[in-house]
Amino acid sequence: MKTAVKNYTNKDAIWTNAAGDDVPLKFVPKVDKVKESLSNKIRKMALEVECSIQQFHNFMNDCFIEVDKLIKEEYSIKNSKEKKKGKGSLTWYNFDKSIKVEADINDIAKWDNALMTEAQELLNQYISSNLSENNDLIKGLVTDAFSNSKNQIDSRKVFQILKYETKIKNTKFLKACDLIKQAQSIDKTKLYMRVWEKMEDGSYRNINLNFSSI
């Protein structure tokens, strides 16, 4: 999608404001001229940083794949069998262990709205007809999972509800669990990576990298 940003300078005789009104340069306040200049410099630098972070994230991802492959190959040689591929975590160090790299692979769940709505109704019916201390906990989980402030499914809370499947033998509760499992699919797999450096006192400091939006 093309950006809507227009970089106005003193060379532009007419500036257009947010309402779409054309304003002659001589009527643009000095403070707005300064804000225009600084905000565009900030945006330019931010775009450069965003690009650098994406490139670095891609590089780290390639490093993870390479190290993971070598570890699997080494395991196969030592054990005469192939190490099972799967999601999880991987941590490795440089030679003197002054640098630590961590990588976690997590599946991002996607939920079918119709099935989750039906499951929520069954869970609420179960809770309303079975009052107990244990169900107060279930009620809290259901509220957090389906009716949170962000109005989104909280996957972590949903998975906590499923842990009670072997403990609660109520028909409606079990049916709700079945619907939840049917509703789940994997939207994407995300790789979380962290880099640590060893300090003089022996502790590791996490180098602050914001990959959350990538």
Side-chain angles (χ1 to χ4, degrees), residues 32-44:
D32 286 339
K33 292 178 180 178
V34 172
K35 289 191 294 183
E36 178 72 13
S37 176
L38 293 179
S39 62
N40 276 286
K41 288 179 181 178
I42 290 172
R43 174 178 173 270
K44 182 180 178 181

Side-chain angles (χ1 to χ4, degrees), residues 4 13 23-24 64 108 110 124 141 153 163 182 186-187 196 202:
V23 180
F64 166 80
I108 308 300
K110 183 179 181 181
N124 287 333
L141 288 175
I153 299 295
K163 289 182 179 180
Q182 292 176 39
I186 303 303
D187 183 31
W196 306 73

Side-chain angles (χ1 to χ4, degrees), residues 28-119:
V28 177
K30 180 180 178 180
V31 63
D32 286 339
K33 292 178 180 178
V34 172
K35 289 191 294 183
E36 178 72 13
S37 176
L38 293 179
S39 62
N40 276 286
K41 288 179 181 178
I42 290 172
R43 174 178 173 270
K44 182 180 178 181
M45 292 179 67
L47 289 172
E48 291 173 351
V49 171
E50 180 187 45
C51 182
S52 296
I53 290 176
Q54 181 65 65
Q55 290 175 347
F56 181 59
H57 183 273
N58 293 342
F59 171 72
M60 283 191 68
N61 184 59
D62 291 341
C63 292
F64 166 80
I65 293 172
E66 181 177 355
V67 172
D68 187 50
K69 179 182 178 182
L70 290 171
I71 289 175
K72 286 183 170 69
E73 289 176 353
E74 184 179 22
Y75 179 90
S76 298
I77 293 172
K78 289 182 178 179
N79 298 275
S80 300
K81 61 182 180 179
E82 184 179 356
K83 189 173 183 179
K84 290 183 178 179
K85 296 180 179 180
K87 300 177 179 65
S89 62
L90 175 64
T91 301
W92 77 85
Y93 299 83
N94 65 333
F95 191 71
D96 66 358
K97 293 194 174 183
S98 59
I99 300 174
K100 178 171 68 171
V101 181
E102 292 180 325
D104 294 315
I105 305 175
N106 294 310
D107 286 334
I108 308 300
K110 183 179 181 181
W111 305 97
D112 182 280
N113 289 331
L115 291 174
M116 291 301 279
T117 298
E118 188 177 350

Side-chain angles (χ1 to χ4, degrees), residues 161-182:
I161 293 173
L162 291 178
K163 289 182 179 180
Y164 286 86
E165 189 175 11
T166 58
K167 301 176 183 178
I168 300 175
K169 301 303 179 182
N170 180 274
T171 303
K172 289 183 178 179
F173 184 86
L174 294 176
K175 175 62 176 176
C177 289
D178 285 338
L179 289 171
I180 289 173
K181 287 186 286 187
Q182 292 176 39

